[in-house]
Amino acid sequence: MARVIAMVLVVVGAASPAAAQEPHGVVLLYHHASADTPPSTSVTPERFEAHLDYLEAHDYRVWPVDRLLAAVIGGEEAVPANVVAITFDDAYESVYTQARPMLRERGWPFAVFVNTDAIDAGHSPYMSWDQLRDLHAEGVLIGNHSASHAHLIAREEGESREAWKQRVAADLERAGRRIDEAIGVQPDIFAYPYGEDSAELAGLVGDDHAFGLAQRSGAVGPGTDPLSVPRFPMASGFDGMDRFELAVRTRPLPVVEAEPEPPGDGVRGPLRSLRLALEDGTYRAAQLACYSAGGERLQASFEEGPPHRVDIRVDGRGSTGRNKINCTAPASDGSGDYFWYAFQWVQDAVRD
């Protein structure tokens, strides 16, 4: 399988010696770097620069995402403390005009994931192929974000499972071929549109890609599914410096089992409970807390292990579309870091 880098801002390691012994990384996800685009998918240029200033001031190193993922998940090389990588989805023009100069000034790599139909149509505020070629010439990784940017996990009305697979496979292939034609590379890192992944979709993505990047908070560890890699989304209201610091210092909570099985394909209708099994680690297991996407703390029972078992009452919370549960536990080494796990399901997205 071809190995192509989708350069991302990923943070690996934390400041403490204990963290350096536990390979991990954090992938940061951005869309717009603009004050004039929808806040739900934007950070201002000033806030983006503040994020970069923080990384520089705290001695984070920036790695391309394929190197980071190959090192953490594949064990291909040692992972030092404080390593990072940056990703942008959708190829918006503000990445070229605003974010690119800040990153280039520091000599830091990044990745842009392209939904190719929008570029071909010349839609605003997307980049052009000429601008994407400029980025590629500068070493920026251009990754696959599908051709259509559709809700790929959902079947259309009356569509059979086999027809769905053929449609999605054609969409992914069309995007990869178009990037190859325009840029001269065949990408093998994929970013799921809307952050919606499923085991079935991952099977299709994995035919031509080494990694699939999702859109839920959490760190990357040796046990991370390479086709369901978490990323911390940054957008107005969730891009403050306190949250940014929390994100880049996050470590992966060692979840070894989950029921329903991630990434949530098996959820039909409202989710009633989530059961997790966790390995031991340098975290305070008894202080684990789980929250709904709205920040509401969920009732959970805890049974000492190992494996430690957690039964989280969801009681049907959630709505049609993407839903998440975030579980965190403080590190036990005095670093102030948090271990993090996010479970996501997309309600009513899969039709039998």
Side-chain angles (χ1 to χ4, degrees):
M1 183 181 296
R3 303 285 298 190
V4 174
I5 302 173
M7 298 179 190
V8 213
L9 192 45
V10 178
V11 182
V12 181
S16 68
Q21 298 170 10
E22 302 166 351
H24 62 280
V26 175
V27 182
L28 301 176
L29 165 62
Y30 297 88
H31 289 82
H32 300 275
S34 172
D36 302 318
T37 48
S40 61
T41 53
S42 303
V43 297
T44 65
E46 293 76 17
R47 180 53 57 84
F48 183 67
E49 186 163 36
H51 290 177
L52 303 187
D53 287 344
Y54 176 93
L55 295 172
E56 191 166 27
H58 292 82
D59 299 321
Y60 282 90
R61 310 177 201 183
V62 179
W63 278 10
V65 73
D66 70 327
R67 181 184 177 189
L68 186 282
L69 296 178
V72 174
I73 300 175
E76 295 187 8
E77 64 176 298
V79 182
N82 300 343
V83 181
V84 199
I86 289 176
T87 60
F88 296 92
D89 281 4
D90 299 336
Y92 290 120
E93 190 170 27
S94 63
V95 177
Y96 187 89
T97 60
Q98 300 294 331
R100 169 195 180 217
M102 300 179 204
L103 290 160
R104 188 168 58 176
E105 180 182 1
R106 293 169 168 84
W108 287 355
F110 62 99
V112 175
F113 290 90
V114 181
N115 39 290
T116 57
D117 286 355
I119 307 298
D120 283 335
H123 290 163
S124 178
Y126 293 90
M127 285 188 241
S128 67
W129 284 118
D130 282 342
Q131 290 171 320
L132 287 165
R133 279 188 283 269
D134 286 347
L135 294 182
H136 173 65
E138 294 171 3
V140 174
L141 183 121
I142 308 301
N144 191 339
H145 196 40
S146 82
S148 64
H149 202 278
H151 292 276
L152 297 180
I153 63 171
R155 298 206 299 275
E156 295 177 350
E157 194 68 37
E159 187 177 41
S160 69
R161 190 178 299 274
E162 188 57 36
W164 168 80
K165 287 182 178 181
Q166 292 176 3
R167 174 174 59 84
V168 170
D171 188 304
L172 304 184
E173 191 276 334
R174 184 168 85 250
R177 183 178 66 250
R178 189 68 187 95
I179 292 169
D180 193 11
E181 291 170 353
I183 305 296
V185 294
Q186 180 64 244
D188 82 338
I189 299 183
F190 182 83
Y192 296 97
Y194 307 103
E196 296 174 352
D197 61 327
S198 72
E200 279 196 311
L201 178 56
L204 298 174
V205 168
D207 285 342
D208 294 303
H209 303 85
F211 299 106
L213 306 186
Q215 188 175 325
R216 53 181 171 274
S217 303
V220 180
T224 296
D225 182 346
L227 293 174
S228 188
V229 175
R231 293 187 289 173
F232 266 100
M234 292 291 153
S236 296
F238 299 92
D239 62 347
M241 295 312 299
D242 287 347
R243 182 177 184 271
F244 184 79
E245 180 178 8
L246 173 69
V248 300
R249 294 179 60 183
T250 295
R251 309 186 210 174
L253 195 64
V255 174
V256 292
E257 292 179 26
E259 183 186 343
E261 187 174 351
D265 299 41
V267 177
R268 299 291 187 271
L271 182 64
R272 297 301 174 189
S273 67
L274 173 64
R275 297 177 178 87
L276 304 177
L278 292 77
E279 291 181 334
D280 271 334
T282 54
Y283 63 95
R284 301 186 187 279
Q287 294 181 30
L288 183 137
C290 298
Y291 302 87
S292 69
E296 176 188 5
R297 184 164 181 170
L298 302 175
Q299 183 177 342
S301 61
F302 180 81
E303 181 182 332
E304 287 279 2
H308 308 291
R309 298 194 179 274
V310 185
D311 193 337
I312 304 144
R313 290 187 57 182
V314 184
D315 292 337
R317 291 175 178 85
S319 58
T320 299
R322 191 155 49 99
N323 296 276
K324 298 178 189 175
I325 295 170
N326 292 308
C327 295
T328 64
S332 59
D333 57 14
S335 64
D337 299 349
Y338 273 81
F339 286 73
W340 195 298
Y341 172 80
F343 178 84
Q344 175 178 290
W345 74 101
V346 181
Q347 199 156 296
D348 299 329
V350 181
R351 302 185 183 95
D352 283 326

